[in-house]
Amino acid sequence: MLAVDEDRVLADLQALAEFGRIGTGVNRPAFSEADLSARQWLGGQMQSAGLDAAIDGIGTVYGRSPHCEQTILVGSHSDSVPNGGWLDGSLGVIFGLEVARASRRAQHGVGVDVISFADEEGTWLPCLGSRSFCGELTKQVLDTAQSKTGERLLHRLASLGLGDRPFARLDPRRHRGYFEAHIEQGPRLEAEGVDIGVVTGIVGMRRHIVHFCGRADHAGTTPMAMRRDAGVAMFSFATSLANGLRGAGGPDAVWNFGIAAVRPGAANVVPAEAELTVEFRDPSPLMIERMEAAFLAAVRDADGALHVAVSSMPNAALAPAAMNTALINMIAEAAAETGASHLRMPSGAGHDAMILAPRIPSAMMFVPSIGGRSHDISENTKEENIRRGFRVFATAVSKTLDRLTQTDDLAASVSSAKKERAS
Amino acid sequence: MLAVDEDRVLADLQALAEFGRIGTGVNRPAFSEADLSARQWLGGQMQSAGLDAAIDGIGTVYGRSPHCEQTILVGSHSDSVPNGGWLDGSLGVIFGLEVARASRRAQHGVGVDVISFADEEGTWLPCLGSRSFCGELTKQVLDTAQSKTGERLLHRLASLGLGDRPFARLDPRRHRGYFEAHIEQGPRLEAEGVDIGVVTGIVGMRRHIVHFCGRADHAGTTPMAMRRDAGVAMFSFATSLANGLRGAGGPDAVWNFGIAAVRPGAANVVPAEAELTVEFRDPSPLMIERMEAAFLAAVRDADGALHVAVSSMPNAALAPAAMNTALINMIAEAAAETGASHLRMPSGAGHDAMILAPRIPSAMMFVPSIGGRSHDISENTKEENIRRGFRVFATAVSKTLDRLTQTDDLAASVSSAKKERAS
């Protein structure tokens, strides 16, 4: 077992929260001054821990365990949404830093590399750092990426002095697995009184924009039967779509109608147009397809009913990412060994782990979020839950290091884990 | 029968449409330069017709038949909404002008006064001119009335040189009845192939703003059962309220959900708040009360369901205004005599007649609007419908003048009209 220091984890979390502090949260969007300062500080901490650390050409801080041919990669991201929470991805970065620090002293045959990916929150491009790390970013994407205010990504990277730096890259022969700790960003763990969320997979998502085209009429002089009311068509569509999605998705399926608008938007004018943004998620690729079919059927059924034309445009899609069974079990076993209760659950939000999961064995664990709050300065986690989460995380990484040192093969550990569960 | 000139009506309508012309419509909001020029032109036309005409202290053009102790008041309004139609109220003003002109030559015992009320469209205050004419405007209302841009009404009136003028006033001993012609502003007459709408009353209206208060949550990480989705609550409320209003209102009842919004309005955030503007109308005071009760019951039923708080605030109300039975019948008889088909129908929009109706016998008639369009430069009425409408209008006024000259009592004409219908 690695000799880790829980108090130092808490002190490091507090120190990192000073960069961009705003009330009880942090304002550290990717490539802001606060984000860069935090990354420089992180790089310094990694070097003090004996790692070869640097900020790479995309802004990711990568601390490499020297003299090791094989490592476990641990970390998350240290950027935030505007006025975000102090833990969020920072929790996983600091957990990773402490584990890597302890690992350097332990002189394991298998090392620990720690990483804070750039711009997970998508100020410029969601999961920018992990996509770059996995070689997913084409030159065209890099050339065209820009912020909401229209500044080009390459321009900002150059102005921060990162323009000529090399890029850290995933090496599956070196990086034998990836562990990421994160706050839950949802209410389940707290509501069910559970200490640890063992993430089985990251849900897939589809987003569509549905457009309703009717006709504007005077709401006093046009008889009800002669109207083509785009607003009423939208209300009716949303209600029946919810039923369709409920029937099509799995038990963890969720959906949302987050944007709804009618035009022209006057009390005495029948709405001529309406627009609804529909999003649905499920951890299972099959269920996502079933929900997609239910969605398209709802659009077909609504089109022309109520004399309103209904059409839809896909707006975004994310494939579900399953976590690695061996590493999932490693976290569950670590929870059991440290006396923490756990729950296997999907992640409803996206994380860097979903970029790494198709390439190397990857796993995530959650600690409870107070009131389920996140992406806001009110986000927090009880100190006892941070401490307990860190013990589980360190134990899981430690057990995986042991397993790799013994077997040189995580696949073997999968079989062994399966046998353990079957027995 | 008055010796009227249909061609002059058309020529006058065209001449009036030159003031503020914009494409096929007019841009003549109350107290704009174009509105004032049009009113000065109208005053000149009235004087040429032998009337004592002037613009009064509120901007109403009033042409008074000299040497008459009793008159029929005819007219409407010549202001428009921004980029409005060329007919709208102008139709009734020009119809009135021609009838007054013919009446001067006929030397009836009972005269015709013609009026173009100020700011019916509410650029400053809806039905400003007719409210002033009926003595409804308190000093406080006048002092505080202002345009959307914040200019005070009294300031504008003074800058137009109207500040010190006397106010035209309704005199029930003089004004024995009021006739107003108008475009329908709706699709019924055209759809049913009918020439004339005989207005039975102007619908009453209630408007409420309904507020839904839930909680913002991450749409990926919050299980469906743990949400307080204000948007879904609004969709569901609107659908069941429509059923409630359908059951409560009369056959001419209409309702509209013209403004609908959700906040914060992001694809991946469960709506924390929603707001819906609900308007409903019915010609019957009883039905309006029934619809109000159905509305309040829907709010009560929705409040707390789906874990969303629902509340409502009244935003506007207009009492229904019944038209005078004797004058209604006069228009219907005039239609029959001139070979025009007619339909008794409520007016779903407000008009100056609703201000006069509680004070003197009042009636309105509609001509068909092409495609039901109004308050837009696309508004129009076929020439044959304008001509036929004018013949009906002139006949109705003429018959009423005859009746008043004979009986000196419109109430008597009510009984006589009733007898005619019963026979």
Side-chain angles (χ1 to χ4, degrees), chain A residues 56-100:
Chain A
D56 84 344
I58 203 77
T60 289
V61 196
Y62 177 48
R64 205 179 137 88
S65 195
H67 319 304
C68 290
E69 292 189 352
Q70 295 190 24
T71 60
I72 302 294
L73 182 68
V74 294
S76 183
H77 65 96
S78 52
D79 63 299
S80 81
V81 297
N83 304 326
W86 73 293
L87 294 170
D88 202 283
S90 298
L91 181 96
V93 173
I94 297 299
F95 278 14
L97 173 64
E98 178 59 20
V99 167

Short mmCIF file of all heavy atoms in Angstrom, two decimals, chain A residues 56-100:
data_model
loop_
_atom_site.label_atom_id
_atom_site.label_comp_id
_atom_site.label_asym_id
_atom_site.label_seq_id
_atom_site.Cartn_x
_atom_site.Cartn_y
_atom_site.Cartn_z
N ASP A 56 2.14 21.10 -21.71
CA ASP A 56 2.41 20.76 -23.11
C ASP A 56 1.82 21.80 -24.05
O ASP A 56 1.30 22.85 -23.60
CB ASP A 56 1.95 19.32 -23.43
CG ASP A 56 0.47 19.23 -23.78
OD1 ASP A 56 -0.30 20.19 -23.49
OD2 ASP A 56 0.05 18.20 -24.35
N GLY A 57 1.87 21.54 -25.34
CA GLY A 57 1.49 22.53 -26.34
C GLY A 57 0.01 22.83 -26.40
O GLY A 57 -0.41 23.80 -27.06
N ILE A 58 -0.82 22.03 -25.69
CA ILE A 58 -2.26 22.30 -25.69
C ILE A 58 -2.71 22.80 -24.31
O ILE A 58 -3.89 23.09 -24.10
CB ILE A 58 -3.06 21.04 -26.11
CG1 ILE A 58 -4.44 21.38 -26.65
CG2 ILE A 58 -3.15 20.03 -24.97
CD1 ILE A 58 -4.41 21.92 -28.08
N GLY A 59 -1.73 22.90 -23.36
CA GLY A 59 -2.06 23.42 -22.03
C GLY A 59 -2.25 22.35 -20.97
O GLY A 59 -2.56 22.66 -19.83
N THR A 60 -2.07 21.09 -21.34
CA THR A 60 -2.18 20.00 -20.36
C THR A 60 -0.90 19.92 -19.52
O THR A 60 0.20 20.02 -20.07
CB THR A 60 -2.39 18.67 -21.12
OG1 THR A 60 -3.71 18.67 -21.68
CG2 THR A 60 -2.23 17.46 -20.20
N VAL A 61 -1.07 19.78 -18.20
CA VAL A 61 0.09 19.56 -17.33
C VAL A 61 0.28 18.06 -17.18
O VAL A 61 -0.64 17.36 -16.72
CB VAL A 61 -0.11 20.14 -15.91
CG1 VAL A 61 1.23 20.25 -15.20
CG2 VAL A 61 -0.80 21.48 -15.97
N TYR A 62 1.43 17.59 -17.54
CA TYR A 62 1.69 16.15 -17.53
C TYR A 62 2.95 15.89 -16.71
O TYR A 62 4.02 16.42 -17.03
CB TYR A 62 1.85 15.65 -18.97
CG TYR A 62 2.20 14.19 -19.11
CD1 TYR A 62 1.51 13.19 -18.40
CD2 TYR A 62 3.24 13.78 -19.95
CE1 TYR A 62 1.83 11.85 -18.54
CE2 TYR A 62 3.57 12.44 -20.10
CZ TYR A 62 2.86 11.48 -19.38
OH TYR A 62 3.19 10.14 -19.52
N GLY A 63 2.80 15.09 -15.65
CA GLY A 63 3.94 14.73 -14.80
C GLY A 63 4.28 13.26 -14.99
O GLY A 63 3.47 12.39 -14.68
N ARG A 64 5.46 13.01 -15.51
CA ARG A 64 5.86 11.68 -15.96
C ARG A 64 6.79 11.06 -14.93
O ARG A 64 7.77 11.68 -14.47
CB ARG A 64 6.61 11.90 -17.27
CG ARG A 64 6.65 10.78 -18.23
CD ARG A 64 7.42 11.26 -19.47
NE ARG A 64 8.33 10.23 -19.92
CZ ARG A 64 7.99 9.28 -20.77
NH1 ARG A 64 6.79 9.26 -21.32
NH2 ARG A 64 8.86 8.35 -21.10
N SER A 65 6.49 9.84 -14.60
CA SER A 65 7.29 9.12 -13.61
C SER A 65 8.58 8.66 -14.31
O SER A 65 8.51 7.87 -15.25
CB SER A 65 6.48 7.93 -13.11
OG SER A 65 7.05 7.40 -11.95
N PRO A 66 9.76 9.16 -13.86
CA PRO A 66 10.98 8.82 -14.59
C PRO A 66 11.41 7.37 -14.33
O PRO A 66 11.00 6.78 -13.34
CB PRO A 66 12.01 9.81 -14.02
CG PRO A 66 11.50 10.16 -12.66
CD PRO A 66 10.01 10.01 -12.68
N HIS A 67 12.20 6.83 -15.24
CA HIS A 67 12.77 5.49 -15.10
C HIS A 67 11.72 4.39 -15.05
O HIS A 67 11.99 3.29 -14.61
CB HIS A 67 13.67 5.38 -13.85
CG HIS A 67 14.53 6.58 -13.62
ND1 HIS A 67 15.42 7.06 -14.59
CD2 HIS A 67 14.63 7.45 -12.58
CE1 HIS A 67 16.02 8.13 -14.14
NE2 HIS A 67 15.56 8.41 -12.91
N CYS A 68 10.46 4.69 -15.47
CA CYS A 68 9.43 3.64 -15.49
C CYS A 68 9.00 3.40 -16.93
O CYS A 68 8.77 4.34 -17.68
CB CYS A 68 8.19 4.06 -14.69
SG CYS A 68 8.49 4.10 -12.93
N GLU A 69 8.88 2.15 -17.30
CA GLU A 69 8.41 1.84 -18.65
C GLU A 69 6.90 1.67 -18.68
O GLU A 69 6.28 1.82 -19.72
CB GLU A 69 9.10 0.58 -19.16
CG GLU A 69 10.58 0.84 -19.40
CD GLU A 69 11.26 -0.32 -20.11
OE1 GLU A 69 10.60 -1.37 -20.30
OE2 GLU A 69 12.43 -0.16 -20.47
N GLN A 70 6.34 1.31 -17.52
CA GLN A 70 4.89 1.15 -17.43
C GLN A 70 4.38 2.01 -16.28
O GLN A 70 5.02 2.07 -15.23
CB GLN A 70 4.51 -0.31 -17.19
CG GLN A 70 4.86 -1.22 -18.33
CD GLN A 70 4.25 -2.60 -18.15
OE1 GLN A 70 3.25 -2.75 -17.46
NE2 GLN A 70 4.87 -3.59 -18.77
N THR A 71 3.21 2.61 -16.51
CA THR A 71 2.62 3.45 -15.45
C THR A 71 1.10 3.31 -15.45
O THR A 71 0.49 2.89 -16.43
CB THR A 71 2.92 4.96 -15.65
OG1 THR A 71 2.37 5.37 -16.90
CG2 THR A 71 4.41 5.24 -15.62
N ILE A 72 0.54 3.70 -14.31
CA ILE A 72 -0.89 4.00 -14.24
C ILE A 72 -1.01 5.51 -14.40
O ILE A 72 -0.29 6.26 -13.73
CB ILE A 72 -1.49 3.59 -12.88
CG1 ILE A 72 -1.28 2.11 -12.60
CG2 ILE A 72 -2.97 3.96 -12.81
CD1 ILE A 72 -2.04 1.20 -13.53
N LEU A 73 -1.92 5.95 -15.28
CA LEU A 73 -2.16 7.38 -15.46
C LEU A 73 -3.30 7.79 -14.54
O LEU A 73 -4.35 7.11 -14.52
CB LEU A 73 -2.50 7.65 -16.93
CG LEU A 73 -2.74 9.12 -17.32
CD1 LEU A 73 -1.44 9.93 -17.25
CD2 LEU A 73 -3.33 9.20 -18.74
N VAL A 74 -3.10 8.87 -13.78
CA VAL A 74 -4.15 9.33 -12.86
C VAL A 74 -4.31 10.84 -13.02
O VAL A 74 -3.36 11.53 -13.35
CB VAL A 74 -3.81 9.01 -11.38
CG1 VAL A 74 -3.81 7.50 -11.15
CG2 VAL A 74 -2.48 9.62 -10.98
N GLY A 75 -5.52 11.34 -12.81
CA GLY A 75 -5.73 12.78 -12.87
C GLY A 75 -7.14 13.13 -13.32
O GLY A 75 -8.07 12.32 -13.21
N SER A 76 -7.26 14.36 -13.82
CA SER A 76 -8.54 14.88 -14.29
C SER A 76 -8.22 16.23 -14.94
O SER A 76 -7.28 16.30 -15.74
CB SER A 76 -9.53 15.00 -13.13
OG SER A 76 -10.79 15.44 -13.58
N HIS A 77 -8.94 17.29 -14.57
CA HIS A 77 -8.67 18.60 -15.18
C HIS A 77 -8.73 19.67 -14.10
O HIS A 77 -9.48 19.52 -13.12
CB HIS A 77 -9.70 18.92 -16.27
CG HIS A 77 -11.10 19.07 -15.74
ND1 HIS A 77 -11.65 20.29 -15.43
CD2 HIS A 77 -12.04 18.14 -15.42
CE1 HIS A 77 -12.89 20.10 -14.97
NE2 HIS A 77 -13.15 18.81 -14.94
N SER A 78 -8.01 20.76 -14.27
CA SER A 78 -8.01 21.83 -13.26
C SER A 78 -8.65 23.12 -13.77
O SER A 78 -8.69 24.11 -13.04
CB SER A 78 -6.58 22.10 -12.76
OG SER A 78 -5.70 22.31 -13.86
N ASP A 79 -9.14 23.13 -15.00
CA ASP A 79 -9.90 24.30 -15.45
C ASP A 79 -11.32 24.21 -14.89
O ASP A 79 -11.75 23.13 -14.45
CB ASP A 79 -9.95 24.38 -16.99
CG ASP A 79 -10.66 23.19 -17.59
OD1 ASP A 79 -10.18 22.04 -17.39
OD2 ASP A 79 -11.70 23.37 -18.25
N SER A 80 -12.04 25.34 -14.88
CA SER A 80 -13.42 25.34 -14.37
C SER A 80 -14.33 26.03 -15.38
O SER A 80 -13.85 26.70 -16.29
CB SER A 80 -13.50 26.09 -13.03
OG SER A 80 -13.55 27.50 -13.25
N VAL A 81 -15.65 25.87 -15.19
CA VAL A 81 -16.59 26.74 -15.90
C VAL A 81 -16.47 28.12 -15.27
O VAL A 81 -15.90 28.27 -14.20
CB VAL A 81 -18.05 26.21 -15.78
CG1 VAL A 81 -18.21 24.85 -16.44
CG2 VAL A 81 -18.50 26.17 -14.34
N PRO A 82 -17.00 29.17 -15.92
CA PRO A 82 -16.99 30.48 -15.28
C PRO A 82 -17.73 30.40 -13.93
O PRO A 82 -18.82 29.83 -13.85
CB PRO A 82 -17.76 31.38 -16.27
CG PRO A 82 -17.59 30.69 -17.60
CD PRO A 82 -17.57 29.22 -17.27
N ASN A 83 -17.11 30.93 -12.88
CA ASN A 83 -17.70 30.90 -11.54
C ASN A 83 -18.12 29.48 -11.14
O ASN A 83 -19.28 29.25 -10.78
CB ASN A 83 -18.89 31.86 -11.43
CG ASN A 83 -18.49 33.28 -11.81
OD1 ASN A 83 -17.37 33.70 -11.56
ND2 ASN A 83 -19.40 34.01 -12.42
N GLY A 84 -17.18 28.56 -11.24
CA GLY A 84 -17.47 27.16 -10.96
C GLY A 84 -17.09 26.76 -9.54
O GLY A 84 -16.80 27.61 -8.68
N GLY A 85 -17.08 25.44 -9.31
CA GLY A 85 -16.80 24.91 -7.97
C GLY A 85 -15.32 24.69 -7.75
O GLY A 85 -14.53 24.58 -8.69
N TRP A 86 -14.92 24.61 -6.49
CA TRP A 86 -13.49 24.50 -6.15
C TRP A 86 -12.97 23.08 -6.30
O TRP A 86 -11.76 22.87 -6.46
CB TRP A 86 -13.22 25.04 -4.74
CG TRP A 86 -13.70 24.17 -3.61
CD1 TRP A 86 -14.99 23.89 -3.27
CD2 TRP A 86 -12.88 23.50 -2.64
NE1 TRP A 86 -15.04 23.08 -2.18
CE2 TRP A 86 -13.76 22.82 -1.76
CE3 TRP A 86 -11.51 23.39 -2.43
CZ2 TRP A 86 -13.31 22.05 -0.68
CZ3 TRP A 86 -11.05 22.62 -1.36
CH2 TRP A 86 -11.95 21.95 -0.50
N LEU A 87 -13.89 22.08 -6.30
CA LEU A 87 -13.46 20.67 -6.37
C LEU A 87 -13.53 20.19 -7.82
O LEU A 87 -12.53 20.15 -8.52
CB LEU A 87 -14.31 19.81 -5.44
CG LEU A 87 -14.11 20.14 -3.95
CD1 LEU A 87 -15.14 19.44 -3.08
CD2 LEU A 87 -12.69 19.77 -3.50
N ASP A 88 -14.73 19.85 -8.31
CA ASP A 88 -14.91 19.43 -9.68
C ASP A 88 -13.72 18.56 -10.14
O ASP A 88 -13.44 17.55 -9.49
CB ASP A 88 -15.11 20.66 -10.59
CG ASP A 88 -15.82 20.31 -11.90
OD1 ASP A 88 -15.17 19.76 -12.81
OD2 ASP A 88 -17.03 20.56 -12.01
N GLY A 89 -13.03 18.95 -11.23
CA GLY A 89 -11.89 18.17 -11.70
C GLY A 89 -10.65 18.29 -10.82
O GLY A 89 -9.81 17.38 -10.77
N SER A 90 -10.54 19.41 -10.09
CA SER A 90 -9.35 19.62 -9.24
C SER A 90 -9.18 18.47 -8.24
O SER A 90 -8.05 18.08 -7.90
CB SER A 90 -9.49 20.93 -8.46
OG SER A 90 -9.56 22.02 -9.35
N LEU A 91 -10.31 17.93 -7.77
CA LEU A 91 -10.27 16.81 -6.82
C LEU A 91 -9.45 15.66 -7.39
O LEU A 91 -8.54 15.12 -6.72
CB LEU A 91 -11.70 16.34 -6.53
CG LEU A 91 -11.82 15.19 -5.54
CD1 LEU A 91 -12.11 15.74 -4.15
CD2 LEU A 91 -12.91 14.20 -5.95
N GLY A 92 -9.74 15.29 -8.65
CA GLY A 92 -9.04 14.15 -9.27
C GLY A 92 -7.59 14.46 -9.55
O GLY A 92 -6.73 13.56 -9.48
N VAL A 93 -7.27 15.72 -9.85
CA VAL A 93 -5.87 16.10 -10.12
C VAL A 93 -5.05 16.00 -8.83
O VAL A 93 -3.96 15.43 -8.82
CB VAL A 93 -5.80 17.52 -10.71
CG1 VAL A 93 -4.35 17.98 -10.81
CG2 VAL A 93 -6.48 17.57 -12.07
N ILE A 94 -5.61 16.52 -7.73
CA ILE A 94 -4.86 16.50 -6.45
C ILE A 94 -4.78 15.08 -5.87
O ILE A 94 -3.74 14.68 -5.34
CB ILE A 94 -5.49 17.50 -5.45
CG1 ILE A 94 -5.37 18.94 -5.99
CG2 ILE A 94 -4.85 17.39 -4.07
CD1 ILE A 94 -3.94 19.42 -6.21
N PHE A 95 -5.88 14.30 -6.00
CA PHE A 95 -5.80 12.88 -5.61
C PHE A 95 -4.64 12.22 -6.38
O PHE A 95 -3.82 11.48 -5.82
CB PHE A 95 -7.10 12.15 -5.96
CG PHE A 95 -8.23 12.31 -4.97
CD1 PHE A 95 -8.18 13.29 -3.98
CD2 PHE A 95 -9.35 11.47 -5.03
CE1 PHE A 95 -9.25 13.44 -3.07
CE2 PHE A 95 -10.40 11.60 -4.12
CZ PHE A 95 -10.34 12.58 -3.15
N GLY A 96 -4.59 12.51 -7.69
CA GLY A 96 -3.55 11.90 -8.54
C GLY A 96 -2.16 12.35 -8.14
O GLY A 96 -1.22 11.55 -8.07
N LEU A 97 -2.02 13.66 -7.83
CA LEU A 97 -0.72 14.20 -7.43
C LEU A 97 -0.19 13.48 -6.19
O LEU A 97 0.98 13.07 -6.13
CB LEU A 97 -0.86 15.71 -7.17
CG LEU A 97 0.35 16.44 -6.58
CD1 LEU A 97 1.53 16.41 -7.55
CD2 LEU A 97 -0.02 17.89 -6.23
N GLU A 98 -1.06 13.30 -5.17
CA GLU A 98 -0.61 12.68 -3.92
C GLU A 98 -0.24 11.21 -4.14
O GLU A 98 0.75 10.71 -3.59
CB GLU A 98 -1.68 12.82 -2.84
CG GLU A 98 -1.34 12.17 -1.51
CD GLU A 98 -0.05 12.71 -0.87
OE1 GLU A 98 0.38 13.82 -1.23
OE2 GLU A 98 0.55 12.00 -0.03
N VAL A 99 -1.02 10.52 -4.98
CA VAL A 99 -0.73 9.11 -5.25
C VAL A 99 0.60 8.99 -6.00
O VAL A 99 1.44 8.11 -5.71
CB VAL A 99 -1.89 8.47 -6.04
CG1 VAL A 99 -1.48 7.11 -6.61
CG2 VAL A 99 -3.11 8.31 -5.14
N ALA A 100 0.83 9.91 -6.96
CA ALA A 100 2.09 9.87 -7.71
C ALA A 100 3.29 10.16 -6.80
O ALA A 100 4.35 9.52 -6.89
CB ALA A 100 2.04 10.89 -8.86
#
